[in-house]
Every structure is written in structure tokens, then in C-alpha cells.
Amino acid sequence: MNEGILIIGAGGVGRVVVHKAVQNIDTFKKITLASRTLSKCEQLKKEVGGKIDIARVDADSVDEIVSLIKKVKPFMVLNIALPYQDLSIMEACLRTGVHYLDTANYEHPDTAKFEYKLQWAYDEKYKQKGIMGLLGCGFDPGVTNIFCAYAQKHYFDEIHYIDILDCNAGDHGYPFATNFNPEINLREVSAKGRYWENGKWIETEPLEIKQVWNYPEIGPKDSYLMYHEEMESLVKHIKGLKRIRFFMTFGESYLTHMRCLENVGMLRIDEVEVDGCKVIPLHVLKALLPDPASLGPRTIGKTNIGIVAEGLKDGKKRKIYIYNVCDHQEAYKETKAQAVSYTTGVPAMIGAKLMSEGIYKGKGVYNVEQMDPDPFMDELNKQGLPWHIKEL
Ligand SMILES: NC(=O)c1ccc[n+]([C@@H]2O[C@H](COP(=O)([O-])OP(=O)(O)OC[C@H]3O[C@@H](n4cnc5c(N)ncnc54)[C@H](OP(=O)(O)O)[C@@H]3O)[C@@H](O)[C@H]2O)c1
């Protein structure tokens, strides 16, 4: 019988998934961690007292993943590598008939553009094979989708407006560093903004629209409108929606560095020749910047991520705010990872737990807001990400 989970990716988020999965070993029974660099898996195995199995895998190769799945025989695979590996891992799950979960939607390494199209295209094939794929099960996407589904289920007849508000008020003491994979982070932040209104996507220049939002337990912060992937599925699944936007906070130092790096071409993802060697500037920058994993011990402060939803209940206007606050140092004490990895890894484990327990089940490819939000909200409170609701 297929049992246990296979986690692919031993980076910042992978480390949290491993720690939290081990805390829930009664559910998972058997945990295997596989990644490109075996030494990172060995380190994690040591940290959790040898309670996991480990393997090396190149997740760009469907054949390698298929052989690993055949050996490990897991109930499901958690893709905690990079968005570039989404399709190869989904394909391997299809060929072997095991369930799939990820936290970020597919992106091609050569094009800084992410969308669900190619992953949603697996829906019919997953249905026929009788397996489930749960997409975007981190914090945003992930918990933000669950917050929207919870608002829709319990607080509204129709939601008209949603703002997703993502604040990281952590301070790592460096003039410039990214708190998760620098390549993925900088591609996302330097891209054009986009929001959805009255059935249409409206494009903005990068970080063109700014508002100040007063984040509970943090205070007022400049928040910039960006495109973020959960909006693509939420516009399909939230009833009556007229507008959805996503805002993220950035400090002045981060933005000044990023603009400067962009102006000199360091964010380019095409090859340039330097002294006869071909290099991709963004890869060079990634090699120079602090490894996000090294930020954990030095990051202080909190994150606050949530949604503000506005709409109608019983014919009356209503506006609510659902959010979670996570403390970087508390997250580090528990998992040796800062809050950005923590807030992503905990929901990924919760999604896997609910699937392993048969509470979330289905045939085909789903976004998390299509699931019942209640068991997920309960688990968030139990697993270290308690949430709050305010009527505004
Ligand atoms: N939804 C959310 O809220 C949210 C928030 C943050 C991040 N994320 C997503 O979470 C994922 C992990 O992020 P992270 O910060 O943990 O990144 P990370 O620290 O860079 O870790 C990525 C891990 O994947 C491994 N990997 C990369 N390519 C691989 C391949 N071809 N085969 C096998 N392993 C491979 C890396 O191996 P090496 O150690 O050899 O490099 C590394 O261990 C990303 O997809 C990111 O977009 C989601």
C-alpha cells in the first residue's frame, strides 16, 4: 500500500515542512526528503533525530522522479523545490499514480511569467488517473485562498472586493537580501503589476500603486500593488467578485537596491558573455547575495499576511479582515527557519495532512480555495499559525 510522503526540496521552506511533518509523524508514518544536494537532506535528518529517509534527486528529470517514487512508494509528493520543477513533478505523479501538492505555480526558467494554464491542463489526466493535485498550498498562495474561502462560507453571500495584504516587517540587518530564493523573489517583484476589476486584468508599471496599511502588531507600512498568482484562481472561485488586488510591503532600502540592480542589468535572465564565459546576471547576483537560509538567526520582527474582504451579507454591507501574525525569532526557535519559510512550510504540511487523512480528497487538479476551509483553519491554529478576524 502507498504510505507516507515524499518531500522534494531541502531549502528554507523544505526545512519547515520536514520539521512540521515530523511533529505530525502519527499522521504521515513515513517521511522521505529528496533534493538536489544530499548534504542538505543529511543535515535535516540529523536535526530531526533520524526520523526521515533521504535521497538525492534531480527534479528536472521526470524519469529520475518516477524511479524515486517507485522506490519510496509514497501516498503523495510535496513539491517544495522551485516553480521550475512543477511540471516535471506533476508528470511523474501522473505516471506513477500518486497525489501531488505544491506552493507556487509553474514558471519557465527563461520567461519571468507565471500562470496556472499548464498545471490546470493536467486536470483531466489527473481525473482519469484518479489522483488529486493541490496547487498553491503555501501562505500566499495558500492560506490567503483559504481565508477567502472561509470569508465566503461564513461571512458573506457575495464578496465584491478583496485586498490581499502581505507585510514582512522582519529586519535581518543587511542592506539588501531576499528572504526567499533571490531569483524567484526578484523576478516577481520587478515584474509589472496587475489587478482584476470588472472582469478584466489591469496592468500597472512595477510597484506603481502604493497605499499605506496599518498592520496589527506591526503598524503602518508602505504597501505596493503587485501581481500575485492566487488572484488567477480566486477570480474563478469567489462569487460576485468585482475587484481583487494584492499588496506587499517593501522598505526603502530594498527598493533602492532593487531599482539600482535593475538599472545596471543585474536582474536580466538572458545570457551575457564575460571574458569568454556565458553568465546570467541574475544567477551571478544570487550567488553574491546572502543565502536566505542564513537570515534565520539574525531576522527579528514579524510578518502579517491577510485579506480584507468587502461585500454583502443578508442584504447588508460588511467588511472583514482575516490575518495571521508570525514572529521571525519564534519560527527560528522551532524550525531554524525565519517566518517567510515558516508561513509557507506549515500550510504545505497542513495540506498534506488533510489529504493523507482523507479529509481533502478529489480527482483532478484543485486550488486550495476549492476545498472546505474549516479543517484547514482549525489546523492553522494547532500547527503554529493562529489567525484573527476583525469586523471593519
Ligand atoms: N506560497 C508561498 O507562500 C510561498 C512563499 C515562499 C516561497 N514559496 C515557494 O516555495 C518553494 C521553495 O522556496 P525556498 O525559499 O525553500 O527555496 P530554496 O531555499 O531555494 O530551496 C529550493 C530547494 O529546492 C531544491 N531544488 C532546486 N532545483 C532542484 C532540482 N532540479 N531537483 C531537486 N531539488 C531542487 C534546491 O536544491 P539545492 O539545495 O541544491 O539548491 C533547494 O534545496 C519555491 O517554489 C517558492 O516559490 C512559496
Side-chain angles (χ1 to χ4, degrees), residues 8-14 35-37 40 57-60 80-83 85 103-104 138-141 180-181 184 340 344:
I8 300 184
V13 180
S35 198
R36 187 167 52 188
T37 311
K40 293 193 184 173
V57 74
D58 176 3
D60 289 319
I80 314 293
L82 296 177
Q85 280 85 46
T103 69
F139 205 103
D140 47 343
F180 69 99
N181 186 292
I184 305 295
V340 175
T344 309

Side-chain angles (χ1 to χ4, degrees), residues 195-260:
Y195 64 99
W196 187 88
E197 191 162 38
N198 298 326
K200 283 199 303 269
W201 290 103
I202 296 160
E203 196 170 82
T204 70
E205 287 309 307
L207 311 183
E208 180 190 341
I209 297 177
K210 178 174 106 171
Q211 66 165 343
V212 177
W213 183 260
N214 193 359
Y215 294 89
E217 298 185 42
I218 290 175
K221 291 275 174 199
D222 289 345
S223 309
Y224 295 85
L225 187 144
M226 288 171 56
Y227 178 64
H228 223 243
E229 63 198 57
E230 61 265 53
M231 293 191 288
E232 188 184 358
S233 64
L234 286 168
V235 298
K236 283 175 56 166
H237 300 132
I238 299 296
K239 282 180 277 180
L241 200 60
K242 294 181 180 166
R243 187 187 69 203
I244 182 164
R245 309 181 294 184
F246 179 97
F247 290 89
M248 192 180 271
T249 62
F250 297 101
E252 262 318 302
S253 173
Y254 179 97
L255 289 181
T256 309
H257 278 80
M258 195 192 75
R259 286 186 184 121
C260 175

